Structure formats: structure tokens, C-alpha cells
Amino acid sequence: MSVLLVADIDQGALAPASARVLSAIAGLGPVDVLVLGNDTDAAAAEAANLVGVARVLVAKGLVAADADADVIVALSSGYHFVVQSAGSVGRDRMPRVAARLDVMPVTDIVQILAPNRFVRPIYAGNALQTVRDDQPIHVLTIRASAFRAAATGNAAPIQRLDLAMQSSVRLIATHRTPSDTPDLATAQVVVGGGVALGSAENFQLVEKLAKKLGAAIGATRAAVDAGFAPNDWQVGQTGKIIAPDLYIAIGISGALQHLAGIQGAKKIIAINTDPEAPLVKLADVALIGDLFDIVPKLTAELDRLGVKR
Ligand SMILES: Cc1cc2nc3c(=O)[nH]c(=O)nc-3n(C[C@H](O)[C@H](O)[C@H](O)COP(=O)(O)OP(=O)(O)OC[C@H]3O[C@@H](n4cnc5c(N)ncnc54)[C@H](O)[C@@H]3O)c2cc1C
């Protein structure tokens, strides 16, 4: 059985999610990685370096989900699995691919039990469902944060494809929020802030601590809705799913919708005035007190100790 893994590309480079998806699907059969887009030489080279990749296929992407789905479908014949991470691009493309192939996609997979049996969360992560998929071709999205990255050290061949796809859909512009912090979905340490921060200015307490730890920054929906943090920092059911080694939650109550996004976190430190807050009860370490007192002290102490990541 063979697998077509559609790579996630971030500004011409291979996004960390693809290496994680590769390790998730390693047991399914030989994996060809499809690098789709423009100016993707770096991404193709990085994909070829991943252990477990048989071939890297490079095709010019039209960079709009509807058009890219046509390219993926055109290349999918002969493959038993068409897979991408369950990030925003995969979630946009793969249902279109499945519709064109007239199959049902299996989305958000966190475990592969057998080539036709997959585990996925339901009810905002409160239950896990095992599904059997006996369709002739499996169109899958994988929750990358649930898996470790595949090793590097391969030299898979890179094949450039000349596909002349036509589409009435055109990408007009992409707006990117500049950021020097790690990718939230795959970061090892995440510092998250809630609405208790009170303002965008105060939210810089979270940002300063995150910077000190080399961590990604997260936020609750309440904090995002209040305008304290940008939309792409939202963690939870309707935001990003994270699985860091350490999550520091500052002034966050732990509503079900937020917890749905942090279930993969290995250790949680909660800073909260309320000892009864759900996230405090779930945390491995709880610092009960005022965040405006604790967080600056914590950052200063890390400074004093010379901690730098
Ligand atoms: C359909 C739907 C989808 C949703 N999706 C998401 C989602 O993806 N992500 C998400 O986060 N939410 C989501 N929500 C919203 C969610 O229900 C909560 O409203 C939200 O998570 C609460 O955010 P919060 O913890 O910042 O605020 P609150 O629940 O108000 O909690 C604030 C916390 O800060 C503590 N606090 C207050 N002052 C201080 C202080 N000075 N020092 C220390 N601690 C202090 C309080 O004790 C409290 O625990 C969704 C809701 C719905 C209905």
C-alpha cells in the first residue's frame, strides 16, 4: 500500500507538522511527499532528508485550496492513502480532495491502529472514537501534535512534475502576522494568557515570559475576543490544538473549550487567584495568587538565573 503525503509549507520551508505526520503514517507503506507551491526548493530538500520518504514530488501549486485539490486528485491514482496534517491548510484541502474522489475523509486522527482503523477525538476532545474505513482510497488528516517528528538523514529522490492545471480560483493575497516565536501547534513550551490580563498592553507579561523561555504564545478565546491577543494565538476547540512538554497557563479558568486544545500537554503550570478553577485542579503545579505579582517575579527570576532559550 502506498501513501501520498501532502507537505505543509511555511514560507517556502517544510513546516514541522509534516515530519510528525510522516512518523504517524510510517507503518502504512512507502510514502511519497507532494510539495505543492511556488519557490519550494528548500521544502523539497527538507522533505527528501526525512527518514521514511521514498520520493519527493514537486508540483507548482495554485495556492488556493480548491485549485490545489485538483492537483492532488490528479496525482492520487495508484495511492491507497492521501494524507495531510489537520492544520488549517489540510482542513481546507482534504475534504475537497475526498469529495472529488467520492469518498469520506477521516479527519483529525490521533492514532492509527491498522491501515483501516483510526482513532479521532469527538465532543471537543471529551471522547475518542475508533472508526473503520473500508473505502478504496483513504483521505486522512492527522493531528500532528499527537506524534513525534520523523528522523532526518535520508536522501530521497526529488522529481519535478509539469502539471498544467487550470482553475478559475486565484489567490489574490496572503497576509502574514510577523512573529519570531515558535509555531504554536508544534512548540515544546507554550505560555498562554487569559482575559484576566485585562489589556493588550498587560498581555506583554505573557509575551515577555514566553520570549525568555523560547516558548510559543497562546491565548484563550475570551482574551482574543477582548482584543488582547491576535486570533492566531487562540488555543482550544475553535483555535489551535497544542501538545507541548510544558504549558504555563496564566489567568485561565480552564473552560471545556480551552481544555479541548491542551489535552496533549505533558506538564501544566497554572497561575490563578482561584484554587477551584478547573485548570488549577488539572495542573501539575498551581501557583495561587495574582498574576500581576507572580509573572513579573517569575520573569525576573529567570533573568537573574540567566535562563535563555
Ligand atoms: C462554541 C464555543 C467555542 C469556544 N472555543 C474556545 C476556544 O477554542 N478556546 C478558548 O480558550 N475558549 C473557547 N471558548 C470560550 C470558553 O468557553 C471560555 O469562555 C474561555 O476559554 C474563558 O477564557 P478565560 O479563561 O480567559 O476567561 P475566564 O473564564 O473569565 O477566566 C479567567 C480566569 O482568570 C483568573 N484570574 C482573574 N484575575 C486574576 C489575576 N489577577 N491573577 C490570576 N488569575 C486571575 C480567574 O480566577 C479565572 O479563573 C468557546 C466557547 C464557545 C461557546
Side-chain angles (χ1 to χ4, degrees):
M1 288 202 269
S2 52
V3 187
L4 183 65
L5 166 60
V6 185
D8 284 278
I9 316 281
D10 186 10
Q11 291 192 309
L14 191 71
S18 295
R20 290 170 178 249
V21 175
L22 178 64
S23 80
I25 59 174
L28 294 178
V31 178
D32 288 348
V33 176
L34 172 60
V35 172
L36 192 55
N38 303 306
D39 302 321
T40 52
D41 286 356
E46 287 171 81
N49 190 30
L50 292 173
V51 173
V53 173
R55 259 187 331 163
V56 177
L57 308 175
V58 181
K60 275 220 169 356
L62 299 164
V63 209
D66 205 56
D68 288 345
D70 286 337
V71 179
I72 296 165
V73 170
L75 292 171
S76 67
S77 74
Y79 290 99
H80 299 92
F81 300 89
V82 180
V83 185
Q84 188 164 0
S85 85
S88 51
V89 176
R91 280 199 299 236
D92 203 4
R93 277 180 184 158
M94 287 299 129
R96 297 167 199 268
V97 170
R100 285 161 170 76
L101 293 170
D102 199 20
V103 294
M104 201 175 91
V106 182
T107 57
D108 236 1
I109 293 166
V110 293
Q111 198 184 353
I112 298 178
L113 300 175
N116 66 344
R117 280 161 64 89
F118 308 101
V119 179
R120 59 190 298 275
I122 53 170
Y123 303 131
N126 287 304
L128 291 173
Q129 179 186 56
T130 300
V131 296
R132 207 174 93 179
D133 173 10
D134 290 329
Q135 301 173 105
I137 182 165
H138 308 281
V139 177
L140 314 176
T141 65
I142 309 262
R143 193 176 276 192
S145 58
F147 300 92
R148 291 274 167 207
T152 53
N154 192 9
I158 299 174
Q159 193 178 328
R160 284 171 209 287
L161 307 172
D162 192 14
L163 289 177
M165 303 301 293
Q166 298 292 329
S167 174
S168 54
V169 181
R170 287 276 174 277
L171 183 78
I172 296 167
T174 303
H175 299 284
R176 189 185 171 87
T177 315
S179 166
D180 55 356
T181 57
D183 172 47
L184 186 52
T186 51
Q188 285 180 311
V189 182
V190 174
V191 182
V195 75
L197 267 301
S199 69
E201 200 184 358
N202 291 343
F203 210 87
Q204 285 174 13
L205 289 175
V206 174
E207 295 170 49
K208 270 189 200 149
L209 180 58
K211 219 169 201 155
K212 186 105 304 247
L213 293 168
I217 306 164
T220 63
R221 176 162 158 182
V224 170
D225 286 351
F228 304 165
N231 195 276
D232 55 343
W233 288 357
Q234 187 177 316
V235 170
Q237 184 187 340
T238 45
K240 301 242 167 73
I241 306 289
I242 62 170
D245 294 334
L246 175 64
Y247 181 45
I248 304 178
I250 301 172
I252 296 178
S253 61
L256 273 181
Q257 295 89 352
H258 188 74
L259 298 184
I262 63 164
Q263 280 168 347
K266 291 178 193 59
K267 287 260 182 280
I268 299 174
I269 299 175
I271 300 173
N272 202 307
T273 44
D274 178 7
E276 298 300 317
L279 196 45
V280 168
K281 293 192 163 169
L282 188 76
D284 299 278
V285 175
L287 302 176
I288 303 302
D290 189 339
L291 72 90
F292 294 104
D293 178 36
I294 295 173
V295 177
K297 280 186 184 155
L298 199 57
T299 311
E301 186 62 9
L302 290 170
D303 247 343
R304 197 184 65 79
L305 294 172
V307 173
K308 214 171 184 188
R309 294 236 346 200

